Amino acid sequence: MHYTLHQLQIFLQIVEKRSVTKASEALFLTQPAVSIQLKKFQEQFPIPLSEVIGRQLYVTDFGHEIADIAKRILEEVETIDHKTNQYQGKLAGKLKLSIVSTGKYVMPYFLSGFLKEHSGVDFSMDVTNKKNVIHDLEENRVDFGLVSVLPEHLDLNTLPLMKNELYLVGSTDREQNRKGKKELIFSHEPLLYREQGSATRNAMENFIQGKNLMANKKIELTSNEALKQAVIAGIGYSIMPLIGIKNAIDRGDIHMIPYEGLPIQTQWNLIWLKKKKLSPAALAFKEYILENKDQITAKYFDWVAQE
């Protein structure tokens, strides 16, 4: 057999995510590239590793056994790399984060400088919804989470990064052609929501309920990017974080609609369990954030800092 470490990594992600698409997103690869590597890996085994029923991918019992072995192999490879870096006097280890989907517009800027300074640190980041971020923390799968609304049931340490604001928005074209008072948007226009478990959806639902507004037509989308594109296309209106739509607003594709009680203001927070013993890499990252978060915010999010 001639499988590669890269193929082991890809197969392990497919098993964990139970999806080629989600594995490709986690690995920052295209879906065809992941599919090709899965096919090449499968060709080296006479027994199926996975099967597709309908449109759902299922890993076979044999596939799960191979995944367990692959995980141990990759852990040993990481150990070799970390030991080598330690002997060279470099910070080594793995840094794992789980962040809400809108956090993908925030977290990379707080990571870039740290990873450049510490090339010996391996890094992984799962981009998901709030429900899964909390689950990752509870299961001790990650060092840190990034959320805009803090969970109340966990004993957490929190490190505020920058503020987060949510506005009522629609496409510029649709808004120009809309007739009637803006209060009628919620009862007469299609409303676009994130999926259940999303903090953005929770904020939107809480606002509507708190104002006793009628929401008759609901459309659900499972990613912030899909939601943004649906708004731009003029499908309906939504309440969205400014961080993810700023460029579309600047281009004139999306229009912010002033509304009493908006924007909803929250805070981006780096969070971790108080009982968790942070690794040297995680501790170094926390210290880096403490020392540099204001400069990073001023450099990359000056429109937030000035408000």
Side-chain angles (χ1 to χ4, degrees), residues 170-178 232 234 237 252-255:
S171 77
T172 300
D173 288 343
R174 184 172 186 128
E175 183 60 11
Q176 287 174 345
N177 295 319
R178 181 179 59 82
I232 292 174
Y237 292 80
D253 296 330
I254 289 179
H255 181 74

Side-chain angles (χ1 to χ4, degrees), residues 25 98-108 125-133 146-148 164 194-195 197-201 221-227 240-241 243-244 268:
E25 292 173 353
S98 183
I99 71 171
V100 294
S101 60
T102 314
K104 67 187 177 186
Y105 302 110
V106 176
M107 201 67 242
M125 183 169 72
D126 187 22
V127 181
T128 180
N129 61 32
K130 182 188 174 184
K131 180 180 177 181
N132 290 333
V133 171
L146 180 72
V147 296
S148 59
N164 181 42
R194 284 287 308 278
E195 78 283 4
S198 162
T200 298
R201 182 188 181 115
L221 299 101
T222 57
S223 78
N224 196 70
E225 190 62 28
L227 187 62
M240 299 186 67
I243 190 77
W268 287 111

Side-chain angles (χ1 to χ4, degrees), residues 13-287:
Q13 281 292 326
I14 290 172
V15 172
E16 291 179 354
K17 305 295 184 185
R18 292 184 294 178
S19 163
V20 170
T21 300
K22 291 181 179 178
S24 66
E25 292 173 353
L27 293 164
F28 302 101
L29 297 171
T30 64
Q31 186 173 330
V34 170
S35 297
I36 289 170
Q37 291 304 316
L38 175 61
K39 183 175 182 294
K40 289 182 177 179
F41 189 57
Q42 174 64 78
E43 288 172 351
Q44 300 180 69
F45 299 94
I47 304 171
L49 298 169
S50 62
E51 56 187 356
V52 177
I53 301 176
R55 299 181 65 182
Q56 180 64 47
L57 183 143
Y58 295 91
V59 180
T60 64
D61 290 341
F62 177 68
H64 279 294
E65 290 191 26
I66 296 301
D68 289 340
I69 297 169
K71 185 175 182 180
R72 294 198 296 270
I73 291 171
L74 293 171
E75 286 174 349
E76 291 300 320
V77 171
E78 285 182 6
T79 300
I80 292 173
D81 292 339
H82 297 162
K83 289 294 182 184
T84 302
N85 284 322
Q86 286 172 359
Y87 271 89
Q88 292 177 318
K90 297 179 180 179
L91 181 66
K94 191 158 190 174
L95 180 64
K96 297 181 181 179
L97 280 77
S98 183
I99 71 171
V100 294
S101 60
T102 314
K104 67 187 177 186
Y105 302 110
V106 176
M107 201 67 242
Y109 297 97
F110 290 88
L111 278 162
S112 178
F114 176 79
L115 295 175
K116 287 177 182 177
E117 287 182 19
H118 304 290
S119 58
V121 173
D122 292 329
F123 165 67
S124 65
M125 183 169 72
D126 187 22
V127 181
T128 180
N129 61 32
K130 182 188 174 184
K131 180 180 177 181
N132 290 333
V133 171
I134 302 310
H135 187 62
D136 285 342
L137 286 169
E138 291 174 327
E139 296 296 317
N140 199 32
R141 294 175 182 168
V142 296
D143 300 301
F144 301 103
L146 180 72
V147 296
S148 59
V149 179
L150 295 173
E152 297 180 356
H153 69 288
L154 292 180
D155 193 15
L156 296 170
N157 287 311
T158 63
L159 201 170
L161 299 184
M162 53 184 272
K163 68 179 179 179
N164 181 42
E165 295 184 333
L166 293 85
Y167 290 84
L168 175 63
V169 295
S171 77
T172 300
D173 288 343
R174 184 172 186 128
E175 183 60 11
Q176 287 174 345
N177 295 319
R178 181 179 59 82
K179 297 179 180 179
K181 297 179 179 180
K182 60 186 175 183
E183 286 77 12
L184 297 177
I185 288 174
F186 293 95
S187 58
H188 288 62
E189 302 288 344
L191 298 181
L192 309 179
Y193 289 77
R194 284 287 308 278
E195 78 283 4
Q196 291 287 352
S198 162
T200 298
R201 182 188 181 115
N202 290 341
M204 184 169 173
E205 288 181 333
N206 290 339
F207 176 79
I208 290 173
Q209 291 170 6
K211 291 284 187 179
N212 293 316
L213 299 169
M214 295 294 296
N216 294 322
K217 187 172 182 180
K218 298 182 180 180
I219 300 172
E220 183 176 298
L221 299 101
T222 57
S223 78
N224 196 70
E225 190 62 28
L227 187 62
K228 179 176 76 173
Q229 294 303 324
V231 170
I232 292 174
I235 294 175
Y237 292 80
S238 188
I239 294 177
M240 299 186 67
L242 180 60
I243 190 77
I245 58 175
K246 180 67 165 54
N247 290 339
I249 291 172
D250 291 343
R251 291 195 306 268
D253 296 330
I254 289 179
H255 181 74
M256 288 195 305
I257 303 160
Y259 201 96
E260 184 180 358
L262 295 175
I264 300 168
Q265 294 195 355
T266 60
Q267 183 90 14
W268 287 111
N269 293 281
L270 193 69
I271 60 175
W272 65 100
L273 295 175
K274 284 186 177 180
K275 64 182 180 181
K276 182 174 181 61
K277 183 178 180 181
L278 295 178
S279 67
L283 281 171
F285 179 62
K286 183 190 75 171
E287 292 302 317

